[in-house]
Amino acid sequence: MTAKIVGLARRLVAENLIDEVEIRQAILKTSHLHIPLAHYLVLNKLVDQYALAVTTSDEFQLPLIEIESFDLDYCPVSVVDADLVKKHRILPLSASGKYLFLAISYPGNLSAIDEIAFHSGLKIELVIVEDSKLDSAINSYLQRISRSYSSKAAIESKLEGEIAIDTVTLSEGEEELNTFDETPLVRFINNLLLEAISLRTSDIHFEPYESIYRIRFRIDGLLREMTRPPVKLTARLASRIKIMAHLDIAEKRAPQDGRIRIRLAGKRTIDIRVNCLPTLWGEKIVMRILDPMNTDLNMDTLGMEPRQKEAYQQALQQQQGLILVTGPTGSGKSLTLYSGLNSLNANTKNISTVEDPVEITIEGINQLAVNAKTGISFSGALRAILRQDPDIIMLGEVRDLETAEIALRAAQTGHLVLTTLHTLSAAASINRLRNIGIPRYNLASTISLIVAQRLARRLCERCKEAVEISEKVLTEQGLTAQLHPSPRLFRAKGCGDCGDGFRGRIGFYEVVPVSESLSRIIMEGGRTQRFRKHMRKHGLLDLRQAALLKVSQGLTSLEEANRLT
């Protein structure tokens, strides 16, 4: 059999880089070995690799680059699966907008390019790299993935079964869906969930638009785009997730809520809350991942300063009173309450909670989820719990006057009540409760502690770098000598472990005990300015000061503090 010489092979012969007999033998060998021609030629030292790269670049009209000039730490690690990188010997250099830039030594395998385009949902742009240098860069890239996502490999190897789905009778819509070959789709979703777990993701967003379909992870409080599946998969992805969450796949006009449970080895389970919302271009789905491995209920890890932690613990030891934890959505209020409850969890205490929904389960605590379908509301559940002889009650959120009145009454009659409120500061929480109709005297006599908080991204300890800032700038930012005696701060850099310079989160807190003097201010209707003056007088940190203190301790960056306070 004689191999036909075309394309790059013909060009190499024409430029006297290899003779005709050798190139024919090489083509036959590569067809049997299923490896790219360029890779075979370089491995067997049949062609100088630089000359080969130059010729390939000219033949395919693609740019030739020096891979050493790229910082591989900034190559995207989640756009192309590692198996595809190894299989097709390509390196994802960057993802920008709708385009994915790939480094390759031989671009003749069009099916490989199509496969990567399908899995990434992006348009592919190619650049040529010398073959052996590409190998070295791919090895470094894969080692980085291995270091960064070692937890993913551990999870995947310990996975006992697929996502737990109870046996149900399929509807007509489900029967129709199952007529498709869904194995790649099922594998795609399962791998996506495993990757999300390994990256400590709190939420996954599946977002359909007119011309794109994107999937984003919320990691350390910020959303990051991870991949863009083909738009034509919008309905199939939504249906698959809805089946997993026991939702009605035929219902596409109304919001739905469901739940998925993943079973892992060692009796570890991960709960995933699923919400489907009809939008103009299809159903947007958000998954909230509740992973007990990412939940540390030790109060020492919250990030409170010693004096703040002591005030919180003292309030928790009281027999009655109301502890308010305030802040915007996603600021870590629930974790602060759970940590407090966990410290109180003992055989001598009857602890009950009313939540919407239950986010973290704690053995020894009676937890009740609000359910509108069965008529279980915050106020109704709270009334029922008060007939259960409770010592401590945790109420997920004060949303209306009725719930607030019952919570205050419970706190006045021998119960310790912990709850949350959506306000921006400790002072604003008093105004909020007054605005919904709670009398000032009730607030002054019942509230024992107010905590306001934010969650900031924590600097990666491996790569954070020092930065010198002038005293003038420090003073303008509020970093006084008392808070920060040295002008040396740290900023995010980014490495293989973290990606963007941050890893994990830490809290900023206002912790305000309601003393007699503060009760008097509340009783007299004192406004926010007077509340803050009381805090300054008694040396209590506000959120800005708490944030700057974390900056001075090297735990977060000044930019992050400015973003949140």
Side-chain angles (χ1 to χ4, degrees), residues 367-556:
Q367 296 174 271
L368 175 63
V370 170
N371 189 333
K373 292 181 180 179
T374 58
I376 301 176
S377 63
F378 273 113
S379 57
L382 191 50
R383 285 193 184 93
I385 283 175
L386 286 171
R387 293 191 288 272
Q388 290 273 315
D389 185 31
D391 296 300
I392 301 163
I393 300 169
M394 195 267 270
L395 181 62
E397 182 186 350
V398 171
R399 295 181 176 177
D400 52 45
L401 176 59
E402 182 183 14
T403 306
E405 286 179 335
I406 300 170
L408 285 163
R409 196 176 306 124
Q412 292 167 345
T413 55
H415 305 94
L416 180 64
V417 179
L418 294 81
T419 190
T420 71
L421 200 62
H422 282 86
T423 60
L424 299 180
S425 66
S429 62
I430 299 296
N431 294 333
R432 172 71 188 280
L433 290 171
R434 285 169 54 189
N435 288 339
I436 66 174
I438 303 297
R440 291 196 300 263
Y441 63 83
N442 266 351
L443 299 176
S445 62
T446 308
I447 299 175
S448 56
L449 184 80
I450 307 173
V451 178
Q453 65 182 81
R454 301 289 187 277
L455 272 183
R457 294 179 294 166
R458 184 193 289 264
L459 284 170
C460 173
E461 291 296 330
R462 183 172 180 264
C463 69
K464 69 179 182 182
E465 60 181 9
V467 56
E468 300 291 334
I469 299 179
S470 68
E471 290 186 16
K472 180 182 178 182
V473 173
L474 290 175
T475 303
E476 290 173 351
Q477 293 290 333
L479 273 162
T480 61
Q482 182 181 2
L483 278 175
H484 188 60
S486 167
R488 192 165 177 264
L489 303 178
F490 292 88
R491 66 183 174 190
K493 181 182 178 183
C495 66
D497 281 352
C498 63
D500 61 356
F502 296 95
R503 187 171 179 83
R505 291 199 281 179
I506 193 166
F508 305 152
Y509 296 89
E510 284 180 5
V511 179
V512 185
V514 180
S515 59
E516 288 187 15
S517 57
L518 186 55
S519 291
R520 196 157 44 247
I521 292 172
I522 295 172
M523 190 74 167
E524 294 169 357
R527 297 194 176 277
T528 301
Q529 186 176 2
R530 192 175 171 191
F531 192 102
R532 293 194 176 281
K533 184 178 179 181
H534 168 87
M535 290 178 61
R536 288 194 298 271
K537 180 180 177 181
H538 290 82
L540 301 175
L541 296 174
D542 62 22
L543 284 170
R544 177 63 179 173
Q545 291 169 329
L548 293 176
L549 195 54
K550 292 294 185 290
V551 172
S552 70
Q553 294 166 354
L555 297 174
T556 192

Side-chain angles (χ1 to χ4, degrees), residues 165 240-247 257-260 272 274:
I165 304 175
R240 171 61 187 166
I241 294 169
K242 288 165 76 173
I243 289 172
M244 293 162 65
H246 309 297
L247 300 177
D257 291 291
R259 191 167 185 159
I260 300 169
I272 301 174
V274 179

Side-chain angles (χ1 to χ4, degrees), residues 92-119:
L93 291 176
S94 69
S96 177
K98 298 180 181 179
Y99 294 93
L100 173 63
F101 292 85
L102 298 177
I104 195 167
S105 63
Y106 178 68
N109 188 351
L110 297 179
S111 63
I113 308 304
D114 290 341
E115 184 177 2
I116 293 166
F118 169 78
H119 284 280

Side-chain angles (χ1 to χ4, degrees), residues 204-429:
I204 307 175
H205 291 243
F206 297 80
E207 301 172 313
Y209 298 97
E210 182 178 12
S211 58
I212 65 168
Y213 187 97
R214 69 179 179 182
I215 298 175
R216 295 190 291 172
F217 289 0
R218 187 176 293 280
I219 303 172
D220 294 335
L222 294 182
L223 283 168
R224 301 182 192 177
E225 184 172 323
M226 306 305 291
T227 186
R228 291 190 179 188
V231 176
K232 62 184 179 182
L233 294 181
T234 298
R236 293 176 63 190
L237 280 168
S239 294
R240 171 61 187 166
I241 294 169
K242 288 165 76 173
I243 289 172
M244 293 162 65
H246 309 297
L247 300 177
D248 182 1
I249 68 169
E251 177 56 75
K252 299 180 180 179
R253 296 174 297 175
Q256 296 188 71
D257 291 291
R259 191 167 185 159
I260 300 169
R261 173 164 288 191
I262 297 178
R263 295 189 301 267
L264 302 177
K267 297 184 179 180
R268 178 185 170 195
T269 61
I270 295 173
D271 286 325
I272 301 174
R273 290 192 347 238
V274 179
N275 177 266
C276 301
L277 181 69
T279 68
L280 185 61
W281 305 109
E283 290 180 280
K284 175 179 177 179
I285 298 175
V286 176
M287 293 179 162
R288 167 64 59 88
I289 299 176
L290 306 173
D291 184 0
M293 290 290 287
N294 290 335
T295 306
D296 188 349
L297 299 183
N298 186 343
M299 288 180 62
D300 292 332
T301 63
L302 290 176
M304 289 184 178
E305 297 302 319
R307 185 179 173 187
Q308 293 178 328
K309 178 186 167 187
E310 183 183 355
Y312 186 31
Q313 289 175 325
Q314 286 179 354
L316 289 169
Q317 295 305 316
Q318 294 180 14
Q319 296 299 310
Q320 66 179 53
L322 180 68
I323 297 176
L324 273 178
V325 180
T326 75
T329 300
S331 59
K333 300 185 296 297
S334 295
L335 185 60
T336 299
L337 290 182
Y338 281 123
S339 298
L341 289 180
N342 193 51
S343 70
L344 296 172
N345 193 6
N347 288 334
T348 58
K349 302 286 186 181
N350 178 16
I351 305 175
S352 297
T353 73
V354 187
E355 306 170 61
D356 183 20
V358 175
E359 294 189 12
I360 302 171
T361 57
I362 304 176
E363 191 170 338
I365 295 178
N366 310 292
Q367 296 174 271
L368 175 63
V370 170
N371 189 333
K373 292 181 180 179
T374 58
I376 301 176
S377 63
F378 273 113
S379 57
L382 191 50
R383 285 193 184 93
I385 283 175
L386 286 171
R387 293 191 288 272
Q388 290 273 315
D389 185 31
D391 296 300
I392 301 163
I393 300 169
M394 195 267 270
L395 181 62
E397 182 186 350
V398 171
R399 295 181 176 177
D400 52 45
L401 176 59
E402 182 183 14
T403 306
E405 286 179 335
I406 300 170
L408 285 163
R409 196 176 306 124
Q412 292 167 345
T413 55
H415 305 94
L416 180 64
V417 179
L418 294 81
T419 190
T420 71
L421 200 62
H422 282 86
T423 60
L424 299 180
S425 66
S429 62

